[in-house]
Amino acid sequence: MRLLLFFTLIFSIGVSWGQSNYDTLTFFQYNLGRYNTPQTNCTVISLTEKNRYLDTIFSNILPDVIMVQEMANELASAELLLKKALNHEKRDYYKSASFTASAADLNNMLYYNGNKLKLLSQRLISCVPRQVNVYTLQHLNTNVVFTIIVAHLKSSQTNNDILQRSVCAQAIMNFLQSNFTSTANIFVAGDFNIYSTEEDAYKVFTTYENPVINLYDPVYVNLKWNESDNKYVYESENTAVPKGVFNNQELAMFHTQSPLMLQKNCLVGGGLDDRFDYILFNRTVLDDSLGINFIPGSYQVVGNDGLHFNKALDDGENNSVSPELLNALVNNSDHLPVVAKFRFRNLLSVPTAGVVSDCEIKLMNQDKLSLSLHNGCETIHEKEVIIQIIDMQGRIILDGSNKASDAVLKLPSLSNGIYLVKVINKNKVFAKKIAVLN
């Protein structure tokens, strides 16, 4: 293992947590309704018109993480949406993941706010009828890392359709089981085409035996505010919302298909009576164990006022959104977007009164790290100090105390990446980042 040149990380903080340590991001899940996918038996709306509707939707919501389905099977279409609907007018900060074709004409795609996020990696999970996309991103201000899995599961209700959804859900959970052996921020979102909480695919997601990756549906959770830790934590299941078949008037406010009563422009009609679109996440996000906290009450189906069960979204009065946005939602797709807000917290900030920035760190040999507490560290040397090594997801890899004026750390096996070394004594903190290459 090699440790590269160290560079200083200075904390500019006061005695208590400041607002700069937090940021709120809006996650946005949307089936686009056949973006540039011509059909032989019907006519889709023009791309010019569709981009105009999408621009209206994005301008009203300004999401930070955008997960979409039914993108045409070509890079040019993915780039066109970015240019004409997202980075439009005065917006220029949206970026896209790399386009990967996974189906004939119904592909997934991810876009994100480049001022707040960067894409670290992306992968595919093999599924039928469409591959599933896996994206890992990092929040720039807080360094918090999270993974989003975007899926478009098999539609319809035959036994084979239901089985294909279940098999794909299991493939997603198997991927998580293999790749996340410790706590991580995990999201699974998309158009799942699930008809009931009793369907196997839903159960695979939400009753998985591994608590690290088991997923929660925000509709069915109660959170409570933890004052001492300044965050929401899971309290109980929300039994006030009924389970079972989603085609139920009691669940009208969560329905995402269809805002149309009559089929048109290759879009499905039938009114709002199905809940196909989801943003699920694991317990880590519910409890803010690694810097992301779900904000209760923020999960919404855009444009759904709960009063249009088995009706078109614009049938009669609907004051949940502006008339312009309502028109765009009705005409652009046969799905409604789902949004949820999450608070990001700076895991690497320390609420202390002072910071020491010029202590010495040096590598003694391949697996030992030397911290000299003499050079520039008069405020903390010859006293007991806490020494930590923390990864960029906020997980403490090494945690111990040392009473000597110099500290020699036996390093654990570290994967490639950036780590934070902290030396803490009462109200003083010394912190530097290290880059590890094996």
Side-chain angles (χ1 to χ4, degrees):
M1 178 171 61
R2 291 190 295 124
L3 277 75
L4 299 185
L5 183 65
F6 297 88
F7 50 96
T8 304
L9 174 66
I10 305 294
F11 291 122
S12 300
I13 57 178
V15 176
S16 61
W17 293 104
Q19 195 63 34
S20 61
N21 291 313
Y22 299 93
D23 191 15
T24 299
L25 270 64
T26 300
F27 285 45
F28 176 96
Q29 151 59 33
Y30 193 29
N31 182 318
L32 297 170
R34 295 194 171 275
Y35 189 87
N36 199 21
T37 57
Q39 300 296 294
T40 57
N41 58 346
C42 57
T43 303
V44 299
I45 61 174
S46 70
L47 271 182
T48 299
E49 189 176 5
K50 197 167 188 69
N51 284 328
R52 186 169 66 249
Y53 290 140
L54 285 168
D55 178 34
T56 297
I57 294 168
F58 293 135
S59 295
N60 276 269
I61 299 171
L62 295 177
D64 299 294
V65 181
I66 301 162
M67 303 152 282
V68 299
Q69 295 79 48
E70 298 200 2
M71 171 63 67
N73 189 25
E74 60 176 8
L75 173 62
S77 292
E79 292 177 337
L80 188 66
L81 187 147
L82 179 66
K83 180 179 179 180
K84 296 296 184 179
L86 282 167
N87 286 334
H88 192 239
E89 300 294 340
K90 296 182 179 180
R91 294 190 301 267
D92 61 358
Y93 50 81
Y94 283 108
K95 295 183 178 180
S96 68
S98 297
F99 176 76
T100 53
S102 63
D105 62 351
L106 300 176
N107 296 278
N108 303 322
M109 191 60 186
L110 179 91
Y111 302 89
Y112 58 95
N113 183 341
N115 286 342
K116 294 187 175 185
L117 299 162
K118 69 176 178 180
L119 180 67
L120 299 180
S121 66
Q122 61 183 88
R123 298 173 64 179
L124 290 173
I125 301 173
S126 180
C127 277
V128 175
R130 290 167 284 271
Q131 296 187 89
V132 173
N133 297 76
V134 183
Y135 306 98
T136 298
L137 298 99
Q138 184 174 33
H139 186 250
L140 297 175
N141 289 343
T142 64
N143 292 311
V144 171
V145 174
F146 59 99
T147 293
I148 298 178
I149 295 179
V150 183
H152 187 184
L153 305 187
K154 182 68 173 68
S155 62
S156 299
Q157 299 186 71
T158 69
N159 289 338
N160 187 59
D161 297 328
I162 294 170
L163 177 61
Q164 284 194 43
R165 288 196 288 272
S166 177
V167 170
C168 197
Q170 188 63 58
I172 291 170
M173 300 309 288
N174 289 345
F175 172 87
L176 292 174
Q177 178 76 20
S178 299
N179 289 275
F180 294 92
T181 56
S182 59
T183 306
N185 294 308
I186 297 169
F187 299 82
V188 178
D191 175 3
F192 297 161
N193 282 304
I194 290 174
Y195 288 84
S196 168
T197 58
E198 296 303 309
E199 192 172 311
D200 286 346
Y202 188 89
K203 289 183 175 181
V204 168
F205 285 141
T206 60
T207 61
Y208 203 75
E209 60 184 8
N210 183 350
V212 172
I213 61 174
N214 182 56
L215 301 170
Y216 289 78
D217 186 339
V219 168
Y220 294 110
V221 298
N222 286 321
L223 302 184
K224 65 179 179 180
W225 179 251
N226 186 319
E227 189 67 37
S228 60
D229 292 333
N230 194 32
K231 64 180 183 179
Y232 290 101
V233 295
Y234 179 78
E235 181 177 34
S236 63
E237 180 181 344
N238 181 11
T239 57
V241 179
K243 289 190 172 182
V245 177
F246 288 123
N247 190 336
N248 182 330
Q249 190 164 6
E250 292 183 274
L251 296 169
M253 66 186 301
F254 304 117
H255 292 154
T256 63
Q257 194 187 65
S258 165
L260 300 165
M261 197 64 198
L262 300 176
Q263 180 177 341
K264 69 174 183 178
N265 299 326
C266 302
L267 302 176
V268 173
L272 282 170
D273 56 10
D274 287 308
R275 185 189 183 211
F276 288 158
D277 302 85
Y278 298 79
I279 300 175
L280 308 178
F281 38 87
N282 66 344
R283 182 67 177 265
T284 305
V285 175
L286 282 178
D287 290 341
D288 187 7
S289 300
L290 284 177
I292 303 179
N293 205 186
F294 171 61
I295 300 176
S298 68
Y299 180 90
Q300 298 179 32
V301 179
V302 180
N304 187 344
D305 60 358
L307 302 174
H308 285 77
F309 178 63
N310 276 334
K311 295 180 180 179
L313 193 66
D314 59 352
D315 183 353
E317 190 175 80
N318 186 339
N319 296 317
S320 64
V321 294
S322 68
E324 182 186 29
L325 178 54
L326 184 67
N327 181 65
L329 293 169
V330 169
N331 288 287
N332 181 68
S333 174
D334 46 20
H335 290 250
L336 291 178
V338 174
V339 298
K341 293 182 182 294
F342 300 88
R343 187 193 69 169
F344 282 64
R345 171 174 58 90
N346 193 337
L347 291 170
L348 304 182
S349 293
V350 181
T352 59
V355 174
V356 180
S357 62
D358 55 353
C359 302
E360 178 183 321
I361 294 181
K362 61 183 179 180
L363 181 65
M364 295 180 63
N365 55 44
Q366 188 175 15
D367 60 355
K368 289 183 180 180
L369 187 67
S370 172
L371 289 82
S372 172
L373 305 184
H374 291 296
N375 300 337
C377 298
E378 291 81 2
T379 55
I380 62 174
H381 85 278
E382 295 181 352
K383 298 178 182 179
E384 184 172 359
V385 295
I386 297 172
I387 301 170
Q388 297 178 337
I389 295 180
I390 305 169
D391 70 12
M392 287 294 99
Q393 296 186 36
R395 295 177 293 206
I396 298 176
I397 307 301
L398 183 148
D399 189 5
S401 61
N402 191 291
K403 294 183 179 181
S405 58
D406 290 288
V408 176
L409 281 71
K410 175 71 174 178
L411 292 174
S413 177
L414 299 177
S415 302
N416 288 353
I418 305 297
Y419 296 85
L420 182 78
V421 178
K422 276 187 188 176
V423 181
I424 307 169
N425 171 255
K426 293 184 178 180
N427 288 335
K428 297 294 179 181
V429 177
F430 154 60
K432 280 191 177 181
K433 282 182 180 177
I434 60 174
V436 175
L437 290 180
N438 289 309

